[in-house]
Short mmCIF file of all heavy atoms in Angstrom, two decimals:
data_model
loop_
_atom_site.label_atom_id
_atom_site.label_comp_id
_atom_site.label_asym_id
_atom_site.label_seq_id
_atom_site.Cartn_x
_atom_site.Cartn_y
_atom_site.Cartn_z
N TRP P 125 -21.51 24.48 16.99
CA TRP P 125 -22.29 23.14 16.64
C TRP P 125 -23.68 23.28 17.22
O TRP P 125 -23.98 23.80 18.25
CB TRP P 125 -21.62 21.93 17.38
CG TRP P 125 -20.32 21.65 16.76
CD1 TRP P 125 -19.12 22.24 17.14
CD2 TRP P 125 -19.95 20.70 15.72
NE1 TRP P 125 -17.99 21.83 16.35
CE2 TRP P 125 -18.54 20.80 15.55
CE3 TRP P 125 -20.68 19.84 14.97
CZ2 TRP P 125 -17.92 20.06 14.58
CZ3 TRP P 125 -20.07 19.08 14.15
CH2 TRP P 125 -18.64 19.15 13.93
N THR P 126 -24.62 22.66 16.35
CA THR P 126 -25.97 22.73 16.72
C THR P 126 -26.38 21.37 17.33
O THR P 126 -26.08 20.33 16.73
CB THR P 126 -26.92 22.89 15.55
OG1 THR P 126 -26.55 24.07 14.84
CG2 THR P 126 -28.40 22.92 15.81
N PRO P 127 -26.92 21.32 18.56
CA PRO P 127 -27.22 19.98 19.18
C PRO P 127 -28.42 19.45 18.53
O PRO P 127 -29.50 20.07 18.29
CB PRO P 127 -27.44 20.33 20.75
CG PRO P 127 -27.72 21.74 20.71
CD PRO P 127 -27.00 22.43 19.55
N LEU P 128 -28.32 18.06 18.22
CA LEU P 128 -29.41 17.35 17.70
C LEU P 128 -29.55 16.08 18.44
O LEU P 128 -29.05 15.07 18.25
CB LEU P 128 -29.08 16.83 16.25
CG LEU P 128 -28.78 17.96 15.16
CD1 LEU P 128 -28.24 17.38 13.95
CD2 LEU P 128 -29.96 18.81 15.03
N ALA P 129 -30.37 16.13 19.62
CA ALA P 129 -30.67 15.10 20.55
C ALA P 129 -29.35 14.56 21.04
O ALA P 129 -28.79 15.05 21.91
CB ALA P 129 -31.43 14.01 19.89
N THR P 130 -28.76 13.55 20.40
CA THR P 130 -27.44 12.91 21.00
C THR P 130 -26.26 13.13 20.03
O THR P 130 -25.33 12.51 20.09
CB THR P 130 -27.57 11.45 21.26
OG1 THR P 130 -27.98 10.69 20.02
CG2 THR P 130 -28.75 11.12 22.30
N SER P 131 -26.44 14.05 19.05
CA SER P 131 -25.37 14.26 18.08
C SER P 131 -25.21 15.71 17.94
O SER P 131 -26.00 16.54 18.38
CB SER P 131 -25.73 13.53 16.73
OG SER P 131 -26.93 14.10 16.26
N TYR P 132 -24.11 16.12 17.18
CA TYR P 132 -23.89 17.54 16.96
C TYR P 132 -23.65 17.67 15.45
O TYR P 132 -22.94 16.79 14.70
CB TYR P 132 -22.72 18.03 17.68
CG TYR P 132 -22.94 17.97 19.23
CD1 TYR P 132 -22.78 16.85 19.92
CD2 TYR P 132 -23.50 19.11 19.89
CE1 TYR P 132 -23.09 16.74 21.22
CE2 TYR P 132 -23.74 19.10 21.10
CZ TYR P 132 -23.49 17.88 21.88
OH TYR P 132 -23.84 17.88 23.24
N GLU P 133 -24.08 18.87 14.81
CA GLU P 133 -23.99 19.09 13.37
C GLU P 133 -23.38 20.43 13.16
O GLU P 133 -23.78 21.41 13.79
CB GLU P 133 -25.32 18.97 12.62
CG GLU P 133 -25.25 19.28 11.28
CD GLU P 133 -26.58 19.32 10.58
OE1 GLU P 133 -27.63 19.02 11.28
OE2 GLU P 133 -26.62 19.57 9.32
N LYS P 134 -22.46 20.45 12.09
CA LYS P 134 -21.84 21.74 11.69
C LYS P 134 -21.23 21.56 10.32
O LYS P 134 -20.62 20.60 10.05
CB LYS P 134 -20.74 22.23 12.65
CG LYS P 134 -20.13 23.49 12.26
CD LYS P 134 -19.10 23.84 13.31
CE LYS P 134 -18.32 25.11 12.86
NZ LYS P 134 -17.26 25.49 13.87
N ASP P 135 -21.63 22.46 9.45
CA ASP P 135 -21.23 22.48 8.02
C ASP P 135 -21.36 21.04 7.27
O ASP P 135 -20.43 20.66 6.62
CB ASP P 135 -19.62 22.80 8.04
CG ASP P 135 -19.34 24.20 8.66
OD1 ASP P 135 -20.14 25.11 8.43
OD2 ASP P 135 -18.33 24.34 9.28
N GLY P 136 -22.48 20.39 7.59
CA GLY P 136 -22.76 19.11 7.01
C GLY P 136 -22.08 17.94 7.48
O GLY P 136 -22.25 16.90 7.07
N ILE P 137 -21.41 18.14 8.61
CA ILE P 137 -20.75 17.05 9.32
C ILE P 137 -21.54 16.74 10.62
O ILE P 137 -21.81 17.72 11.35
CB ILE P 137 -19.23 17.30 9.61
CG1 ILE P 137 -18.43 17.45 8.34
CG2 ILE P 137 -18.59 16.15 10.43
CD1 ILE P 137 -17.11 18.10 8.66
N VAL P 138 -21.80 15.46 10.84
CA VAL P 138 -22.51 15.10 12.07
C VAL P 138 -21.68 14.16 12.80
O VAL P 138 -21.10 13.22 12.30
CB VAL P 138 -23.83 14.32 11.65
CG1 VAL P 138 -24.48 13.88 12.96
CG2 VAL P 138 -24.76 15.29 11.00
N VAL P 139 -21.46 14.52 14.22
CA VAL P 139 -20.64 13.67 15.05
C VAL P 139 -21.63 13.15 16.12
O VAL P 139 -22.58 13.77 16.57
CB VAL P 139 -19.53 14.26 15.73
CG1 VAL P 139 -18.49 14.67 14.67
CG2 VAL P 139 -19.86 15.54 16.49
N TYR P 140 -21.34 11.85 16.52
CA TYR P 140 -22.29 11.21 17.46
C TYR P 140 -21.48 10.12 18.22
O TYR P 140 -20.31 10.00 18.00
CB TYR P 140 -23.56 10.68 16.88
CG TYR P 140 -23.34 9.57 15.81
CD1 TYR P 140 -23.57 8.26 16.23
CD2 TYR P 140 -22.96 9.84 14.56
CE1 TYR P 140 -23.37 7.15 15.28
CE2 TYR P 140 -22.76 8.90 13.59
CZ TYR P 140 -22.90 7.56 14.01
OH TYR P 140 -22.73 6.54 13.12
N ASP P 141 -22.14 9.42 19.20
CA ASP P 141 -21.59 8.56 20.15
C ASP P 141 -20.56 9.32 20.96
O ASP P 141 -19.52 8.76 21.34
CB ASP P 141 -20.78 7.46 19.35
CG ASP P 141 -20.46 6.27 20.35
OD1 ASP P 141 -21.11 6.01 21.26
OD2 ASP P 141 -19.39 5.55 20.01
N ILE P 142 -20.99 10.44 21.52
CA ILE P 142 -20.13 11.26 22.39
C ILE P 142 -20.67 11.01 23.80
O ILE P 142 -21.76 11.46 24.12
CB ILE P 142 -20.19 12.74 22.07
CG1 ILE P 142 -19.76 12.92 20.60
CG2 ILE P 142 -19.40 13.52 22.91
CD1 ILE P 142 -20.06 14.22 19.91
N ARG P 143 -19.89 10.28 24.55
CA ARG P 143 -20.20 9.90 25.88
C ARG P 143 -19.07 10.24 26.82
O ARG P 143 -17.85 10.31 26.32
CB ARG P 143 -20.52 8.38 25.89
CG ARG P 143 -21.62 7.92 25.08
CD ARG P 143 -21.70 6.51 25.01
NE ARG P 143 -20.65 5.97 24.10
CZ ARG P 143 -20.03 4.76 24.20
NH1 ARG P 143 -20.47 3.84 25.16
NH2 ARG P 143 -19.16 4.29 23.54
N PRO P 144 -19.25 10.35 28.10
CA PRO P 144 -18.14 10.72 28.94
C PRO P 144 -16.90 9.81 28.82
O PRO P 144 -15.82 10.21 28.77
CB PRO P 144 -18.81 10.56 30.35
CG PRO P 144 -20.19 10.90 30.16
CD PRO P 144 -20.49 10.29 28.82
N GLU P 145 -17.11 8.49 28.62
CA GLU P 145 -15.97 7.60 28.41
C GLU P 145 -15.27 7.82 27.13
O GLU P 145 -14.12 7.20 27.02
CB GLU P 145 -16.38 6.15 28.64
CG GLU P 145 -17.42 5.61 27.78
CD GLU P 145 -18.94 5.81 28.25
OE1 GLU P 145 -19.15 6.71 29.14
OE2 GLU P 145 -19.79 5.02 27.76
N ASN P 146 -15.83 8.49 26.16
CA ASN P 146 -15.28 8.78 24.92
C ASN P 146 -14.60 10.13 24.90
O ASN P 146 -14.21 10.61 23.82
CB ASN P 146 -16.15 8.55 23.82
CG ASN P 146 -16.50 7.21 23.52
OD1 ASN P 146 -15.94 6.23 23.96
ND2 ASN P 146 -17.53 7.01 22.62
N CYS P 147 -14.45 10.83 26.02
CA CYS P 147 -14.02 12.18 26.23
C CYS P 147 -12.87 12.22 27.23
O CYS P 147 -12.83 11.38 28.16
CB CYS P 147 -15.10 13.13 26.46
SG CYS P 147 -16.54 13.00 25.23
N GLY P 148 -12.15 13.35 27.16
CA GLY P 148 -11.13 13.50 28.15
C GLY P 148 -10.65 15.04 28.15
O GLY P 148 -11.09 15.75 27.41
N LEU P 149 -9.63 15.22 28.95
CA LEU P 149 -9.02 16.56 29.01
C LEU P 149 -7.51 16.44 28.52
O LEU P 149 -6.91 15.47 29.05
CB LEU P 149 -9.10 17.19 30.46
CG LEU P 149 -10.47 17.37 31.04
CD1 LEU P 149 -10.45 17.92 32.48
CD2 LEU P 149 -11.28 18.31 30.14
N ASP P 150 -7.14 17.35 27.69
CA ASP P 150 -5.68 17.28 27.33
C ASP P 150 -4.86 17.90 28.37
O ASP P 150 -5.26 18.25 29.42
CB ASP P 150 -5.48 17.85 25.91
CG ASP P 150 -5.73 19.39 25.85
OD1 ASP P 150 -5.75 19.98 26.97
OD2 ASP P 150 -5.81 19.90 24.69
#
Side-chain angles (χ1 to χ4, degrees):
W125 293 84
T126 304
L128 305 170
T130 61
S131 61
Y132 296 84
E133 176 187 357
K134 180 180 176 182
D135 301 329
I137 298 171
V138 177
V139 294
Y140 62 101
D141 192 30
I142 301 166
R143 304 170 282 152
E145 58 269 23
N146 286 347
C147 304
L149 299 176
D150 67 13

